[in-house]
Amino acid sequence: MRHFLIDTDTASDDAVALVMALNYPAVKIEAITLVAGNVSLAQGLQNALYTIELCGQKIPTYNGAAQPLLRPLKTAQVVHGQDGMGDIGLELSGRQADKGNAIDVIIDTIKAFPYELELVTLGPLTNIALALAKAPEIAPLVKQCTIMGGIGKGHGNITPVSEFNIWVDPEAARMVFDSGMKMKMVGWDISRNHACIDEALSEEIRNIGTPLATFCMDIQNVVKNFATTTSKLPGFDLPDPIAMAIALDSNVATLTEELYVEVIIADGLTRGQTVVDHTGVLQKTPNMEVVFEASREQFLAMLKAAVK
Ligand code: RIB
Ligand code: CA
């Protein structure tokens, strides 16, 4: 049995990633921790709890940071909808988190499963940074931290050079990237290149006909317009789900390289830029396994299997 902890700012793509993890064999999700990002912490919690309930499961779920370490929270409701789940009228209220703080839960869970716990981060890295600051000794105990964030090679989605999760809390990202944890970075380039779902494919998935298939496609109601108009993609992309697919089955990542990656702490266009040292010119020890290519075929097969 594999042991996972998922940190998320649950909106329409995070929810699909949660469905994939919740329905994947031989993986036990020890906890889900919420962080503010796409939407407020409170909204993200409701979105996560709704998704878990729809999967017919009960997973310990905890509130974490309601804002970045130093900066005001900037949400992405323009991308995912006011409720983060496509504004399709889902009953996203009234559910309760478990008692406890996400930061302590992250620390305690890593220590409960030394060298076995697999972390997956789907939002800003605020919670992970706070856990590492409180208990730096956890860094070497994490088997693998798969991060949906940054850009391996290509352009950004919040500035021309920055990806949202890192941009929201660059200070936190810098702390995590410098922590010495075993990390794998699945940048937004992987999503735009290998995880775009056009109308025809969306219908094909919806026509699987299960409540989960319908849910996973319907909640993309707002992001599908943002993706096609602003991001100029052929359909909505699924960054968190393809990162989750890679965390669940490393074979989905078909090309990776251990490289040094630095997060830019700045304001303006380079805020949260992930500078990948592709040629080792900085002569710094690599801190990240950067994913450069992934199997769309394997990803889609896993996505369809999760919603059957
Ligand atoms: O840039 C994409 C990331 O930002 C995804 O995790 C999405 O859910 C948003 O959090
Ligand atoms: Ca996310």
Side-chain angles (χ1 to χ4, degrees), residues 222-269:
V222 174
V223 69
K224 68 185 178 186
N225 300 320
F226 181 87
T228 49
T229 53
T230 307
S231 304
K232 312 268 188 293
L233 296 175
F236 59 84
D237 66 306
L238 291 173
D240 292 340
I242 196 163
M244 182 59 76
I246 289 168
L248 293 167
D249 180 351
S250 61
N251 294 319
V252 176
T254 52
L255 177 64
T256 72
E257 197 175 351
E258 293 283 353
L259 294 168
Y260 176 72
V261 184
E262 186 159 316
V263 176
I264 301 300
I265 309 286
D267 295 319
L269 291 182

Side-chain angles (χ1 to χ4, degrees), residues 198-212:
D198 64 13
E199 199 52 45
L201 181 53
S202 177
E203 274 314 295
E204 181 188 328
I205 295 169
R206 183 180 277 104
N207 290 340
I208 290 173
T210 60
L212 280 180

Side-chain angles (χ1 to χ4, degrees), residues 2-307:
R2 297 165 64 187
H3 304 278
F4 271 50
L5 187 148
I6 302 169
D7 192 71
T8 167
D9 61 338
T10 309
S12 51
D13 66 316
D14 303 66
V16 177
L18 291 178
V19 169
M20 291 174 71
L22 286 161
N23 291 324
Y24 196 77
V27 162
K28 182 165 184 293
I29 301 172
E30 300 296 340
I32 291 173
T33 52
L34 273 296
V35 65
N38 280 319
V39 291
S40 69
L41 180 67
Q43 185 66 61
L45 173 75
Q46 295 303 322
N47 297 348
L49 292 173
Y50 181 95
T51 304
I52 297 164
E53 190 176 296
L54 196 65
C55 291
Q57 298 193 35
K58 181 84 182 80
I59 304 289
T61 304
Y62 302 90
N63 278 314
Q67 65 277 324
L69 294 182
L70 301 177
R71 299 169 188 253
L73 174 63
K74 300 272 191 211
T75 64
Q77 284 156 298
V78 68
V79 178
H80 298 278
Q82 282 309 302
D83 66 11
M85 301 281 267
D87 293 339
I88 56 174
L90 296 177
E91 190 53 50
L92 301 167
S93 62
R95 294 173 177 82
Q96 303 297 321
D98 288 81
K99 290 215 176 322
N101 174 282
I103 311 314
D104 294 328
V105 167
I106 291 166
I107 295 167
D108 296 345
T109 307
I110 290 170
K111 290 185 173 178
F113 299 97
Y115 309 106
E116 282 187 65
L117 191 79
E118 299 178 58
L119 269 184
V120 185
T121 70
L122 306 176
L125 292 168
T126 317
N127 287 344
I128 311 301
L130 288 168
L132 287 161
K134 185 169 183 180
E137 68 274 15
I138 63 175
L141 302 180
V142 176
K143 180 176 183 180
Q144 169 85 57
C145 179
T146 302
I147 297 167
M148 192 283 128
I151 300 150
K153 198 178 283 184
H155 63 69
N157 59 8
I158 187 82
T159 83
V161 295
S162 302
E163 176 280 326
F164 180 77
N165 285 338
I166 309 300
W167 178 88
V168 166
D169 196 343
E171 285 80 5
R174 167 71 77 91
M175 288 168 66
V176 173
F177 279 42
D178 290 353
S179 68
M181 247 190 325
K182 187 173 183 319
M183 293 174 282
K184 185 176 292 186
M185 188 179 95
V186 185
W188 188 60
D189 45 319
I190 299 304
S191 179
R192 58 175 291 119
N193 294 333
H194 306 293
C196 263
I197 310 285
D198 64 13
E199 199 52 45
L201 181 53
S202 177
E203 274 314 295
E204 181 188 328
I205 295 169
R206 183 180 277 104
N207 290 340
I208 290 173
T210 60
L212 280 180
T214 308
F215 166 76
C216 287
M217 293 301 105
D218 286 353
I219 59 176
Q220 313 304 329
N221 181 50
V222 174
V223 69
K224 68 185 178 186
N225 300 320
F226 181 87
T228 49
T229 53
T230 307
S231 304
K232 312 268 188 293
L233 296 175
F236 59 84
D237 66 306
L238 291 173
D240 292 340
I242 196 163
M244 182 59 76
I246 289 168
L248 293 167
D249 180 351
S250 61
N251 294 319
V252 176
T254 52
L255 177 64
T256 72
E257 197 175 351
E258 293 283 353
L259 294 168
Y260 176 72
V261 184
E262 186 159 316
V263 176
I264 301 300
I265 309 286
D267 295 319
L269 291 182
T270 58
R271 168 178 166 172
Q273 180 178 6
T274 48
V275 179
V276 179
D277 185 1
H278 294 277
T279 63
V281 66
L282 297 175
Q283 295 187 336
K284 289 196 170 187
T285 306
N287 57 348
M288 190 70 72
E289 181 181 0
V290 182
V291 177
F292 288 110
E293 293 296 339
S295 165
R296 175 181 173 82
E297 184 189 0
Q298 287 185 59
F299 163 61
L300 291 177
M302 289 173 73
L303 172 59
K304 290 174 181 175
V307 299

